[in-house]
Amino acid sequence: MDITTSPFRNIKENEEIEELYIPRKKTNKEIICESLRHIMLICISIVTFFPFIWMMTSSLKTKDEIFQFPPKLLPQVFNWSNFLEVFKEAPFEVYIGNSFFVATIIVAFQIIGSAMIAYALTQFNFKGRKILFAIIMGTYMLPSAATYVPCYMILSKINLIDTLTGIIISNLGNVFGIFLMRQAFLQINKSLIEAARIDGASHWKILWKIVFPLTKPTFITFGLISFVTYYNDYMYPSLITKSPEKFLISAGLRQFFIQGGAYGIKWPEIMAASTITVLPLLILFLVAQKWFMQGVGDTGVKE
C-alpha cells in the first residue's frame, strides 16, 4: 500500500491540524503578568476618567455638598435645575452653535484641501516635490502663537475682526492633515490608481471614488481630531472676537466663570456649564470611535 494514500497518513495530518487550533495553556507567570497589566490599565482609566465623573456629579450638587468633608461622589438629591440656570444666566446655546458652525466649516475645508494636496504629493511626479513637502512640514514646526499677530493684522485690513468668518479663513489649512493623509495614500496599491487611469477616470474621481473609500478611517480620524481642536480653541478666537454673541464655547465658558460664576461663587452652575461643553465631544467620540481606532491603526491596501 502506498504510504502517500494511506488512511493512517490522513489521520495523522488531521491530528496535526487540530493541534494547531488548540489554544496553548498559559503558564502561571503569563497569567499573573496579564492580570497585572489589566489591573494597571483599569487603574489608569479610572484616574483619567474620574475628573469627568466628578465634574458631572458636582453639576448636580448644591454648593454645600461640593465643599463638604469628607467629599461624596453622588449628591443626596439630583439638582437638574443647575443646567437650566446655566442657560438662563448665559447664552450657551449661542456659544455651542458658534463652535459647531466654525469647527464644521473648518474641518470640511481642511479635509478637502489636505486630501487634494496629499494626492498631488503622492500621485504626481514633478520637480521639487520633495522640497515642497519639506517646506510644508517645516511650517508645522512654527509655533501657532507666532502667527497670531500677522493673522490679526491681515484680518483687520479686510475688516474681518470680530467675525466668525475671520476665524474660519485663518484656519483653512492644516499641515498635520496633509502629512496624515499623505502617509495613508502611500499605502494604497498603485495598480488600483493605474487601472483607474487606464479606464479614463479623472484625478478627482480617483481621489473620491477609489482613494477615499480605502482610507476612510484616516479621514474620520483627522476630522475628529481637527473638530475637537477648533471646537475647544480659546486663545486665537478670543483675540479675534470681542462681541459676546460671537464667542465660541471656551470663551463663553470663561465669560460665564467671570460674570455668571462670579469667580467660583456658583460652582454647581460652573460644573454644569463645563459638562455641557464637554458632553457633545464625548458623544461624538463614542459615535466615531470605531473608525478612529482604525485610523490610528493605519489601515489601507498594502502593496
Side-chain angles (χ1 to χ4, degrees):
M1 182 175 61
D2 188 2
I3 191 172
T4 58
T5 61
S6 174
F8 297 102
R9 182 176 182 271
N10 294 333
I11 294 173
K12 186 176 180 180
E13 289 180 352
N14 292 335
E15 291 177 351
E16 291 177 354
I17 293 173
E18 289 178 358
E19 289 179 357
L20 294 175
Y21 289 96
I22 296 175
R24 183 177 63 87
K25 186 177 181 180
K26 296 181 179 179
T27 63
N28 293 333
K29 184 178 180 180
E30 290 176 339
I31 294 174
I32 293 173
C33 292
E34 186 175 353
S35 300
L36 291 176
R37 184 164 57 250
H38 282 89
I39 292 173
M40 183 180 65
L41 291 174
I42 291 172
C43 292
I44 294 174
S45 300
I46 293 174
V47 171
T48 303
F49 199 64
F50 180 77
F52 180 75
I53 297 297
W54 182 263
M55 178 184 67
M56 290 186 62
T57 56
S58 297
S59 65
L60 301 173
K61 296 178 180 178
T62 62
K63 183 180 177 181
D64 294 335
E65 288 178 326
I66 291 178
F67 290 100
Q68 72 177 359
F69 187 84
K72 294 182 180 180
L73 181 62
L74 298 177
Q76 294 180 351
V77 179
F78 291 92
N79 297 308
W80 297 101
S81 60
N82 292 335
F83 290 92
L84 297 178
E85 291 297 326
V86 166
F87 285 98
K88 289 180 181 179
E89 296 179 9
F92 269 89
E93 66 279 2
V94 176
Y95 302 152
I96 294 175
N98 291 340
S99 293
F100 265 96
F101 173 76
V102 170
T104 302
I105 298 299
I106 290 175
V107 169
F109 275 96
Q110 286 187 354
I111 287 177
I112 296 174
S114 298
M116 294 174 66
I117 295 174
Y119 180 85
L121 291 173
T122 56
Q123 304 302 327
F124 293 168
N125 293 319
F126 56 89
K127 292 183 179 180
R129 183 179 62 173
K130 294 182 178 180
I131 297 176
L132 177 60
F133 179 68
I135 294 173
I136 293 174
M137 294 307 301
T139 60
Y140 191 56
M141 302 174 64
L142 184 68
S144 59
T147 63
Y148 289 171
V149 174
C151 288
Y152 185 90
M153 295 176 64
I154 293 173
L155 292 178
S156 64
K157 291 182 179 180
I158 57 178
N159 298 321
L160 289 179
I161 297 297
D162 197 24
T163 62
L164 298 180
T165 305
I167 300 175
I168 294 172
I169 291 178
S170 304
N171 296 284
L172 292 182
N174 192 303
V175 178
F176 173 72
I178 297 173
F179 170 77
L180 188 66
M181 293 187 182
R182 175 184 177 274
Q183 298 305 113
F185 292 177
L186 288 174
Q187 297 184 26
I188 298 177
N189 197 325
K190 292 184 178 180
S191 61
L192 297 175
I193 308 297
E194 293 173 357
R197 290 176 179 173
I198 293 174
D199 291 339
S202 63
H203 291 293
W204 183 260
K205 190 173 183 179
I206 293 173
L207 176 59
W208 298 111
K209 295 295 184 180
I210 298 176
V211 177
F212 172 70
L214 293 174
T215 57
K216 186 183 296 184
T218 302
F219 279 78
I220 295 176
T221 300
F222 169 64
L224 183 61
I225 294 174
S226 183
F227 185 90
V228 172
T229 299
Y230 294 103
Y231 178 88
N232 287 326
D233 198 9
Y234 171 73
M235 287 296 297
Y236 185 71
S238 298
L239 179 66
I240 300 300
T241 57
K242 301 299 180 183
S243 303
E245 63 272 12
K246 303 294 179 58
F247 283 169
L248 302 189
I249 188 64
S250 297
L253 183 61
R254 179 184 178 275
Q255 185 73 11
F256 177 74
F257 181 77
I258 294 175
Q259 296 182 357
Y263 285 103
I265 294 177
K266 300 180 180 179
W267 277 109
E269 286 84 354
I270 293 174
M271 292 297 177
S274 301
T275 302
I276 294 170
T277 302
V278 176
L279 198 58
L281 298 180
L282 181 63
I283 296 173
L284 180 63
F285 178 78
L286 292 176
V287 172
Q289 64 175 335
K290 176 183 176 181
W291 296 277
F292 179 78
M293 296 307 297
Q294 290 179 0
V296 172
D298 199 15
T299 60
V301 178
K302 305 290 183 179
E303 293 186 1

